[in-house]
Amino acid sequence: MRKFLANAKFLASAGAATAFFAGTSAHADQPVPWETTFQAPATEMMRQIESFGNYTMWFVVPITLLVLFLLAYCIFRFRASANPVPAKTSHNTAIEVIWTVGPVVILLFIAIPSFKLLTAQYTPGEEPKLTVKATGNQWNWDYEYQTDNTLTFNSAILQDGDRAKAGKEDRKVYPRLLAVDNELVVPVNTMTRVLVTATDVIHSFAMPSFGIKMDAVPGRTNETWFKAEKEGLYYGQCSQLCGKDHAFMPIAIRVVSDTQFKTWLAAAKTDLPGANKTLMAEVDGQNKVAAAGN
């Protein structure tokens, strides 16, 4: 009986965990406690960055272990008690050649794919279909959709007292210190150009799942781009120290279908809060159905 109850408790816990991860996966990606890796990539660029990081580990790990072994060997082999009379060797030609040529070859193996990745980051694969201007302020963001009829709004951290009014009380979906009052909404599988600038001090527009991080400099407009491949809600933050509330300057991007985006954009030009609530209701309803189906 005790064994049966233990198994039942385990299955219930597993079911709860499955439901939790089903719900969070439907809402895309965000930081999690004790995270040791990158957030799951939502763009091809982020997959390339992740792949390059894994590639460099094939060099970092062996070099670290080799240096550790050499240090340990030298400490043990050439300690004072074992070598009362120190060696007089001043140089060794073979060793000089090895530790000069070796690092050069290793750096070439790292540099060539690094340059390719850097080039890809500044070379979009297609012309952008949507352009958004992101302006950093202390400590919020202004977004301007450069469409036929321009849409402009501010996005700031969501205060706890405003959660109920905004319909964002679920902290698994809208986490504390990351949720905002108005998300940047973009269509899925659409090349999106982001023009980044600032009004006061230097900020930085960063979205880990998209593999983008671009400084927002007053008086200057920088450009970055992304093509999100998965619908959901993604979180980033200002990644440049910008004052006392730097830690309270989140970025939230909601990726939706093309139809949902067009409907939201048309409604947001006259009623942004209403358009956001309608979109949230539709997206949350779809996610509940998806989670129940799992």
Side-chain angles (χ1 to χ4, degrees), residues 9 24 56 59 99 102 114 117 181 228 231 237 257 276:
K9 185 176 181 181
T24 53
T56 57
F59 299 93
W99 72 30
S114 175
L117 176 60
D181 51 3
E231 295 182 29
Q237 290 177 295
S257 68
N276 286 341

XYZ file of all heavy atoms in Angstrom, residues 9 24 56 59 99 102 114 117 181 228 231 237 257 276:
111
model
N 2.035 9.309 -5.833
C 2.558 10.655 -5.569
C 3.558 11.052 -6.645
O 3.573 12.189 -7.121
C 3.211 10.697 -4.190
C 3.672 12.089 -3.783
C 4.210 12.057 -2.366
C 4.662 13.465 -1.944
N 5.204 13.443 -0.562
N 4.483 26.573 -20.041
C 5.560 27.542 -20.257
C 6.120 27.450 -21.665
O 6.474 28.462 -22.236
C 6.691 27.312 -19.244
O 7.098 25.944 -19.293
C 6.245 27.639 -17.840
N 33.447 26.030 -29.612
C 34.630 26.541 -28.910
C 34.952 25.718 -27.664
O 36.114 25.686 -27.231
C 34.432 28.011 -28.501
O 33.250 28.139 -27.684
C 34.301 28.903 -29.715
N 37.799 23.306 -27.719
C 39.138 23.862 -27.519
C 39.344 24.277 -26.065
O 40.414 24.054 -25.497
C 39.353 25.079 -28.434
C 39.258 24.764 -29.894
C 38.065 24.903 -30.569
C 40.369 24.315 -30.595
C 37.974 24.611 -31.918
C 40.297 24.025 -31.944
C 39.082 24.166 -32.613
N 54.778 26.114 -28.461
C 53.830 27.023 -27.815
C 53.664 28.346 -28.573
O 52.914 29.206 -28.147
C 54.171 27.227 -26.355
C 55.391 28.045 -26.004
C 55.952 29.076 -26.672
C 56.165 27.898 -24.815
N 57.028 29.581 -26.000
C 57.191 28.869 -24.839
C 56.114 27.042 -23.718
C 58.132 29.002 -23.829
C 57.056 27.178 -22.711
C 58.052 28.144 -22.772
N 51.336 26.328 -31.938
C 50.107 25.713 -31.440
C 48.977 26.715 -31.214
O 47.876 26.571 -31.779
N 34.277 32.338 -36.245
C 33.835 33.529 -35.520
C 33.554 34.676 -36.490
O 32.535 35.376 -36.370
C 34.895 33.947 -34.505
O 34.539 35.156 -33.873
N 30.330 34.022 -38.370
C 29.154 34.307 -37.543
C 28.929 35.807 -37.437
O 27.793 36.290 -37.529
C 29.343 33.697 -36.148
C 28.240 33.976 -35.126
C 26.898 33.446 -35.616
C 28.586 33.363 -33.779
N 3.902 46.419 -19.336
C 2.502 46.783 -19.572
C 2.109 46.612 -21.034
O 1.006 46.157 -21.347
C 2.238 48.222 -19.097
C 3.240 49.225 -19.660
O 4.106 48.830 -20.465
O 3.155 50.407 -19.278
N 11.851 35.624 -35.860
C 11.404 34.660 -34.854
C 10.644 33.518 -35.523
O 9.759 33.749 -36.355
C 10.517 35.345 -33.823
N 6.017 31.098 -32.183
C 5.110 32.026 -31.536
C 5.275 31.928 -30.020
O 5.619 30.879 -29.484
C 3.661 31.714 -31.919
C 3.367 31.934 -33.392
C 1.913 31.661 -33.741
O 1.052 31.845 -32.852
O 1.634 31.262 -34.885
N 16.220 42.138 -21.437
C 16.418 43.279 -20.548
C 17.409 44.257 -21.172
O 18.177 43.890 -22.065
C 16.953 42.821 -19.186
C 15.955 42.046 -18.340
C 16.580 41.560 -17.046
O 17.492 40.735 -17.063
N 16.100 42.070 -15.926
N 0.846 34.949 -34.891
C 0.658 34.632 -36.301
C 0.485 35.922 -37.101
O 0.177 36.983 -36.551
C -0.572 33.734 -36.483
O -1.752 34.467 -36.178
N -4.448 44.898 -26.955
C -3.600 43.994 -26.176
C -4.427 42.940 -25.455
O -4.071 41.751 -25.441
C -2.773 44.790 -25.166
C -1.632 45.551 -25.821
O -1.228 45.237 -26.933
N -1.122 46.562 -25.131
